[in-house]
Structure formats: C-alpha cells, structure tokens
Amino acid sequence: MYTLANARLFDGSTMRPGFHSVTIDGNSIAAIDGAIGGDVIDLGGMTLMPGMITCHFHADFFRFTLDQLFAGEQLGKEFPPGVLMAMGVRQCGILLESGFTGYIGAAASNDIDASLKIAIAENIIPGPRIRACSRHVGTTADLNNSRKWWQVYTEPGTDIRGDGPDGMCRVVREEIRRGAETIKIFAGSGHGIPGRFRNMSHDEMEMVIKTAHERGVKVRAHICHKDLILESIAMGLDIIDHGDEIDEECIEAMVKAGTYWVPSITFSKCAIDLGWASDEDKRDYEQVRKMLPIAQKAGIKILIGDDYSGSLRDILPDDPLDHQIGNYGREFAFYNEIEGLEPADILSWGTRNAGEALLAGGKGKVGVVEAGAFADLIVVDGDPLADMTILAKPQQHLKAVIRDGVRVIDRLPTPDASSCDVDRTQPILLNATR
C-alpha cells in the first residue's frame, strides 16, 4: 500500500479543485482523500490522472503503405511472424513510456494481440492492459483480398475472409477461440481507400455481429459512408472506425444505440498535408471536424486512436503516426484545435470513455480515478488541460506510470528507495527512439 499525496487530480472527466491524495492497495485504488496508508509520496502539485488508452491500435503495423496494399501485397506478411511479434513487444514498451496503460486492438496478424496479452499477464514482458482484436474479417475479392487472381493469398496475414452468413459465423467463432475480444470487419471503402463500395453484404455483417455478441465479444468496423453507418448501427455495431460521413442523423442513432466512435483523422490530415487526399477525402475531413463538437454535445462516446505504423517516416522526418515515444499523445492537442471542443472532454476520450470500451463486458473499471477502480494511473508534471501538448512530451513531463498498482516507470521522490515497486535500473524499453 502507498499514497500519492498533494496531487492535482483529473479523475477521467474533470480536474477536481484543490489538491488530493490517492491511496493504492494492491492493484486497486483504495481511497481518495481517505485514510492515508503505507509510504506517502508527495507529488508537489503534479497532476495524477488515469493512464491514457489508445483505441485504434495495430501492434504489428510497421511502415506498410496503402500503395503496397493496392499493389496486391499482403498485409501481415512483411516479415516473419516472430519479427512482427517483436514489433508488438516494442510497441507495448513505447505505449508505457508514452503514458498509455491500455490499448484496444483494431486488428493484428498472427494472433499478436492475444499473444501479447498472455505474455503480459504471465509477467514475461511489461505492457499495457489490452483488449485483443481479431484479424481483419473480410470477403473473397474485397479490397483487402488481392484482386490479382493469380496472386491470391494462400495463407492469412492480417486479413482473413469468409463468404455468406455461415462462412462468417465460422470465421468469427474461430477468431474468438484464438483470443479475440473484438472482431474487426472491413465493411467498405473510404478513409484513404478510393471508390465507393461495400465489402460485405447486409446478411454477412449481421451474422458477424450476432455471432460475436452471442459469445460476449464486441465488433468494430472500418466504415465511412452514411448508408453503411446507419445500417451497421441498426445491427448493433459497437465501434465505428473513421465514420467520415457521420452527420446529425447518424449521431442521433449512435446516441440511442450507445455506439463508440474513433474518428482517427490524424491520418487524414497527413494525407491532406502531403497532397495525397482527393477532394472527397478533404470534404470528409472537414465533415468530421464539423461533427465532433456536435457529437460530443450529444453524448457520443468518442475515442482516441489512429493508424500508427511509421509508413510516412521516409517522407516526413517527424511522422506523427510513427510508433515513437510521445507520438500517441499528440492526438489530444490535435483535437483541441477544433473550435467547440473542451480539453477535459478530449482528455476523457482517452481515459474515461476509453476505459469503458476497454473493459466492456468485463469486470472492474479503468480510465477513471475512483475508489475500487484498477490502479492504472500516470503522474504528469504540469496541467494537461492548460497545455495538452505536454502529453506528447513524456521525456519531460511524465513522472510515473502505474499499471495494476505497480510503478512500472518511477521518477518520483520516495521516502525509502528500498520500498519502490520496480527496479529502477531496468529500462522498460530499449532503443525506443530513432
């Protein structure tokens, strides 16, 4: 047991007035401003807040480009499976070093999400709390299945396929057996993928969602066009990825259904800045920016996360979507530039909302600072609501990362160095920067 005292406290929704103490016992928060127990660490007015959670994460994405995909190259086959798993291990370390104590997978090859979750649970590697995702579930000859019939994929990488409701039922059940807690489908084009078409029939999408929900598993979809968005919401889709054509009608339906939204428009901004975006892409980007304040006011559960891979590193020396320490935290300041959004609301996208989605259907709470919640916390030197850019500067501002009550990164003063929960001589991550 130990107590973090004299802290500015962001509880996942708001910055509480004054200064507070939080007592941690085992892997949980025992009390806020209650009886202080164990060692007391004076934070001296630094901010204590929930660990951040990214909600559209590909642990094995590394420098893969859309050009390669359109040329027929198979995603998830860039390197042998062991090398892709090593990338996932590296990314887990980068997340912790960036102040992120959780991620919700958005598809990975080779059961990497599920394998990382086991390795972390068995204390083989340090890492964030994970909601494991399936591979991309699609159909024969769709946009992720090579249309060059003479180069058809013979073994699955990131993408797998089924056809018809029965085929989708089998695929979903197998992915769940392999550890998936979320099923990812590619419903159609959009968000950098040219054209306007759907990948899956209504019956196929409906079967995916029905089968997953029967077994307590959530479903997320790469889905951009309004007709498909409304169709999927009516089916019970849990998470909309991108949602480029979301409008007031979609927002009303999402509020009623409790649908989460991951806009992930950092990628769109990069494409526009590089001159790659079509006029349609530019309109979609502006539409999302326009809808975000409306969605927030309506009560939509918006989430942080994007397609990090480092695929622009050769073009942009400071690629904002590279897996590098601090990059994930850039999203908060990016969205804070949109008029009509408040810093506390944006920060809640990556804490309270994200924590609810991370443990959806399970037990316990994360993403909040309250008695009984899991102690996944960070200490930040500064006020992230006054300056959201500090969340992208962990080397200067991140003073502690607490994962399940254990101080996995500890740059705090302690009353007795021998009582520290971790060996400070052991780095979380080697060679995490360029």
Side-chain angles (χ1 to χ4, degrees), residues 137-142 145 160-172 199-201 203-205 207-208:
V137 176
T139 58
T140 296
D142 70 9
N145 181 222
I160 55 175
R161 63 186 185 273
D163 293 296
D166 289 346
M168 287 298 168
C169 182
R170 285 191 294 271
V171 165
V172 169
N199 280 340
M200 306 176 77
S201 71
D203 289 346
E204 287 169 334
M205 291 172 60
M207 179 58 76
V208 169

Side-chain angles (χ1 to χ4, degrees), residues 45 191 252:
H191 202 73
E252 182 180 356

Side-chain angles (χ1 to χ4, degrees), residues 59-267:
D60 60 338
F61 270 23
F62 183 72
R63 306 191 74 180
F64 195 93
T65 67
L66 289 175
D67 286 343
Q68 290 172 283
L69 186 64
F70 297 148
E73 295 185 30
Q74 189 174 1
L75 188 62
K77 293 289 187 179
E78 307 94 295
F79 295 98
V83 177
L84 293 171
M85 179 64 178
M87 292 175 185
V89 173
R90 176 184 180 274
Q91 266 67 286
C92 282
I94 292 172
L95 282 164
L96 290 178
E97 294 278 3
S98 300
F100 283 75
T101 57
Y103 82 71
I104 300 177
S109 64
N110 301 289
D111 309 309
I112 284 175
D113 276 359
S115 297
L116 287 170
K117 186 166 183 172
I118 293 170
I120 293 165
E122 294 295 325
N123 291 317
I124 296 168
I125 62 169
R129 198 178 297 272
I130 296 173
R131 186 176 187 95
C133 193
S134 68
R135 291 167 284 188
H136 287 148
V137 176
T139 58
T140 296
D142 70 9
L143 63 90
N144 291 334
N145 181 222
S146 179
R147 297 188 177 193
K148 297 179 179 179
W149 55 264
W150 63 97
Q151 294 178 359
V152 66
Y153 305 158
T154 58
E155 295 181 2
T158 302
D159 298 283
I160 55 175
R161 63 186 185 273
D163 293 296
D166 289 346
M168 287 298 168
C169 182
R170 285 191 294 271
V171 165
V172 169
R173 287 176 176 173
E174 179 61 25
E175 290 300 288
I176 294 171
R177 174 163 66 174
R178 300 176 78 93
E181 299 163 295
T182 302
I183 301 296
K184 169 72 175 287
I185 63 174
F186 250 81
S189 59
H191 202 73
I193 299 172
R196 187 181 182 90
F197 52 87
R198 64 187 301 159
N199 280 340
M200 306 176 77
S201 71
H202 179 96
D203 289 346
E204 287 169 334
M205 291 172 60
E206 193 170 51
M207 179 58 76
V208 169
I209 294 169
K210 177 178 180 291
T211 304
H213 286 180
E214 284 175 347
R215 302 200 174 189
V217 168
K218 302 301 182 182
V219 182
R220 68 187 307 158
H222 175 111
I223 193 164
C224 300
H225 301 128
K226 178 179 176 178
D227 52 350
L228 270 178
I229 291 170
L230 290 172
E231 186 177 333
S232 68
I233 294 168
M235 294 179 194
L237 182 72
D238 300 291
I239 300 176
I240 290 174
D241 288 315
H242 316 312
D244 297 343
E245 291 186 0
I246 280 176
D247 62 7
E248 287 90 341
E249 184 180 0
C250 295
I251 288 170
E252 182 180 356
M254 291 165 70
V255 170
K256 291 179 180 177
T259 314
Y260 293 95
W261 180 23
V262 190
S264 60
I265 56 171
T266 308
F267 169 84

Side-chain angles (χ1 to χ4, degrees), residues 199-408:
N199 280 340
M200 306 176 77
S201 71
H202 179 96
D203 289 346
E204 287 169 334
M205 291 172 60
E206 193 170 51
M207 179 58 76
V208 169
I209 294 169
K210 177 178 180 291
T211 304
H213 286 180
E214 284 175 347
R215 302 200 174 189
V217 168
K218 302 301 182 182
V219 182
R220 68 187 307 158
H222 175 111
I223 193 164
C224 300
H225 301 128
K226 178 179 176 178
D227 52 350
L228 270 178
I229 291 170
L230 290 172
E231 186 177 333
S232 68
I233 294 168
M235 294 179 194
L237 182 72
D238 300 291
I239 300 176
I240 290 174
D241 288 315
H242 316 312
D244 297 343
E245 291 186 0
I246 280 176
D247 62 7
E248 287 90 341
E249 184 180 0
C250 295
I251 288 170
E252 182 180 356
M254 291 165 70
V255 170
K256 291 179 180 177
T259 314
Y260 293 95
W261 180 23
V262 190
S264 60
I265 56 171
T266 308
F267 169 84
S268 304
K269 183 64 163 59
C270 287
I272 292 170
D273 290 346
L274 290 167
W276 295 352
S278 66
D279 289 342
E280 181 181 0
D281 293 331
K282 294 174 184 177
R283 287 195 300 270
D284 289 344
Y285 173 75
E286 293 301 330
Q287 174 69 8
V288 171
R289 286 176 60 92
K290 176 184 175 182
M291 286 298 109
L292 280 170
I294 298 171
Q296 174 64 38
K297 185 176 181 180
I300 296 293
K301 300 169 185 176
I302 305 170
L303 303 172
I304 288 290
D306 217 309
D307 282 304
Y308 292 88
S309 69
S311 60
L312 303 177
R313 190 188 301 175
D314 293 338
I315 303 168
L316 296 175
D318 188 25
D319 178 2
L321 291 176
D322 199 359
H323 287 289
Q324 298 295 338
I325 293 174
N327 276 5
Y328 311 128
R330 290 183 175 186
E331 288 185 58
F332 296 99
F334 171 75
Y335 286 111
N336 194 41
E337 294 175 357
I338 298 175
E339 186 176 352
L341 294 175
E342 296 297 327
D345 293 331
I346 297 168
L347 193 50
S348 75
W349 300 356
T351 53
R352 181 197 62 203
N353 290 1
E356 180 184 302
L358 178 63
L359 296 185
K363 297 180 180 179
K365 283 187 176 183
V366 291
V368 294
V369 183
E370 63 180 59
F374 290 124
D376 289 4
L377 308 167
I378 61 174
V379 177
V380 177
D381 188 2
D383 180 355
L385 298 188
D387 180 5
M388 303 205 86
T389 67
I390 68 175
L391 296 172
K393 302 171 184 176
Q395 295 94 334
Q396 292 79 39
H397 295 276
L398 184 64
K399 299 305 177 183
V401 175
I402 301 165
R403 168 73 166 84
D404 237 11
V406 175
R407 302 196 295 275
V408 294

